[in-house]
Amino acid sequence: MAKFNSLKYGLGKSKNITNINEGYDLLNFIYFKKKIKYFELSNRYNKSIPILSSFIKKNKCRARIFYKIDNLKLKINNFDSILYNLKKIRDNLEIEQFENISLHQNDYRIISNNKIIKFLENIKKNEIAKTIGTSVYTKKELFFSIKTDVYDSIQIPINPLNTYLYNLYTQQSIKKLIVARSIFLQGALLNKLNNHLFEKEINSEISFLKKIAYQNNTFYKKIIFNFEKNLKSIDY
């Protein structure tokens, strides 16, 4: 699955897409050369939605969309407006349903809010999305998402330096769809770190991974690119 929001996908400090031709170049590479048909989108991802929509219509192709919702409030939300926008995005991308719609907010109170949960149930009831999910950051959020029926999927950070939530999940009896995020630690595993809060610790771990790569006659980037593939409980 490709997170479609920048020219240099997967890198921490990337250059945003500034025009439709740059977007087409990236999509041609992702869709036709790499055969990636799954895309993660959000209204926060610059011009990703109109560019992908134009690409789909021009090439008469199909994409499978994971969509993130954020900026929900605890007290007042215009759910009718959110639902209208979701339907509009769905129609512009020429899909019958979103593969997944997930909450992407670092706030336990949001994913556990009864009104928001009821809204998500309505999305699924009206077949706007095949599955509903959360993007979690903490143990508390993870365990709530596991036990709550409306959530079919859980997106968690997984990379060679962080498998904490993944390890907790594998110990649970209830199983959900697991979507990996931060697979390059927000670019830290690929980019030179400048004034990063944990620069010393991350560089130390990277040096260890490079040592392992050398000892096994392989490449550092090959290890980090293939790390998630070897984890059996990851679905996307």
Side-chain angles (χ1 to χ4, degrees):
M1 180 167 64
K3 176 179 177 180
F4 179 55
N5 73 325
S6 63
L7 278 177
K8 298 179 180 178
Y9 166 66
L11 302 183
K13 296 181 179 179
S14 52
K15 175 184 175 185
N16 286 331
I17 291 172
T18 56
N19 63 63
I20 198 167
N21 290 328
E22 290 178 330
Y24 277 2
D25 289 342
L26 177 60
L27 285 169
N28 276 317
F29 175 77
I30 292 173
Y31 193 95
F32 293 113
K33 187 170 182 178
K34 292 300 182 180
K35 308 297 182 183
I36 295 174
K37 304 297 190 294
Y38 289 82
F39 293 87
E40 179 188 273
L41 299 177
S42 166
N43 272 331
R44 294 181 297 135
Y45 293 173
N46 200 15
K47 301 176 181 178
S48 60
I49 294 173
I51 291 175
L52 181 58
S53 173
S54 177
F55 177 84
I56 287 170
K57 291 171 182 175
K58 179 181 178 181
N59 292 280
K60 298 181 180 179
C61 56
R62 291 288 179 265
R64 297 185 176 184
I65 307 298
F66 283 64
Y67 189 77
K68 287 184 175 180
I69 297 177
D70 55 14
N71 294 323
L72 293 180
K73 311 298 181 184
L74 286 172
K75 293 184 178 180
I76 301 175
N77 287 292
N78 188 340
F79 290 126
D80 288 339
S81 177
I82 296 171
L83 195 61
Y84 172 81
N85 286 330
L86 286 173
K87 290 179 178 178
K88 185 176 180 180
I89 293 168
R90 177 197 64 187
D91 294 343
N92 284 338
L93 293 171
E94 298 187 349
I95 56 175
E96 293 182 4
Q97 289 178 287
F98 291 93
E99 295 293 318
N100 177 272
I101 290 176
S102 287
L103 296 182
H104 188 66
Q105 287 180 247
N106 187 12
D107 192 337
Y108 173 81
R109 297 170 301 169
I110 293 292
I111 70 171
S112 62
N113 182 279
N114 287 331
K115 289 184 179 179
I116 292 174
I117 288 175
K118 187 175 181 180
F119 169 65
L120 295 174
E121 289 173 341
N122 188 43
I123 287 177
K124 192 185 293 187
K125 182 180 178 181
N126 285 280
E127 299 184 342
I128 295 169
K130 295 178 182 178
T131 57
I132 298 294
T134 53
S135 186
V136 303
Y137 296 80
T138 66
K139 177 180 177 180
K140 186 177 183 181
E141 292 171 354
L142 173 67
F143 285 171
F144 182 84
S145 301
I146 289 173
K147 72 178 184 180
T148 304
D149 289 341
V150 72
Y151 297 123
D152 308 295
S153 69
I154 307 172
Q155 188 177 53
I156 57 179
I158 304 173
N159 57 69
L161 273 60
N162 183 7
T163 58
Y164 171 66
L165 293 178
Y166 175 82
N167 292 337
L168 288 175
Y169 167 76
T170 58
Q171 297 168 16
Q172 309 307 308
S173 58
I174 300 174
K175 298 303 178 185
K176 305 269 180 164
L177 292 170
I178 296 298
V179 182
R181 79 160 191 275
S182 298
I183 60 175
F184 303 130
L185 197 60
Q186 297 181 340
L189 295 180
L190 294 173
N191 290 335
K192 183 178 180 180
L193 302 177
N194 293 312
N195 300 318
H196 193 285
L197 181 61
F198 300 105
E199 180 177 349
K200 183 177 179 180
E201 293 83 355
I202 292 172
N203 281 334
S204 175
E205 295 295 332
I206 290 174
S207 295
F208 177 70
L209 289 172
K210 288 182 177 179
K211 182 178 179 181
I212 291 177
Y214 177 79
Q215 291 173 342
N216 289 273
N217 195 31
T218 188
F219 300 100
Y220 163 72
K221 287 187 178 181
K222 189 173 182 179
I223 289 179
I224 62 173
F225 287 157
N226 289 283
F227 179 77
E228 287 76 14
K229 293 181 180 179
N230 296 315
L231 300 180
K232 295 181 180 179
S233 294
I234 296 179
D235 298 288
Y236 295 99

